[in-house]
Amino acid sequence: PSGSSSAGDCVEPTPEPCGQGEGRDGDGECQTCPADTYSENEVCVPCPEGSNSEAGSVSKSECAIKIITDPPTDPPIDSTTDNPTETPTDPETEKPTDPKTEKKKKSTLR
């Protein structure tokens, strides 16, 4: 108040509460919690290891277990030509062949 003589009379104004999915930054401003975190008591808390969330998540229950997808089934790329490499196939079965097995077949056919 005006005319106060002690530091104890000075009171910081109470900040406005943050919205859902927000936490306070280093300056005390409300910011949307980033992806892979959730808001708890105006603090952005990291999701548990092995889980993730969208930005603005409001609870730990929104942290979902990361799903690992199978690698692509496209043929490997030949780094010298940027073309997919050909996989040798057995003309009789049209299935991919193992070069080691092919050598054995040829040597026994002599």
Side-chain angles (χ1 to χ4, degrees), residues 27-103:
D27 295 328
E29 299 294 319
C30 295
Q31 300 291 325
T32 300
C33 289
D36 301 335
T37 67
Y38 62 95
S39 176
E40 185 176 279
N41 299 321
E42 298 188 353
V43 174
C44 297
V45 180
C47 285
E49 188 173 334
S51 65
N52 58 0
S53 68
E54 293 184 14
S57 293
V58 297
S59 71
K60 185 177 182 178
S61 65
E62 291 187 50
C63 295
I65 295 172
K66 292 180 184 178
I67 301 202
I68 299 171
T69 59
D70 292 333
T73 57
D74 295 334
I77 301 295
D78 180 345
S79 61
T80 58
T81 64
D82 289 334
N83 291 325
T85 57
E86 291 293 322
T87 304
T89 57
D90 183 333
E92 293 176 19
T93 63
E94 296 185 10
K95 292 183 180 178
T97 58
D98 180 0
K100 295 174 192 167
T101 308
E102 281 300 300
K103 287 180 184 177

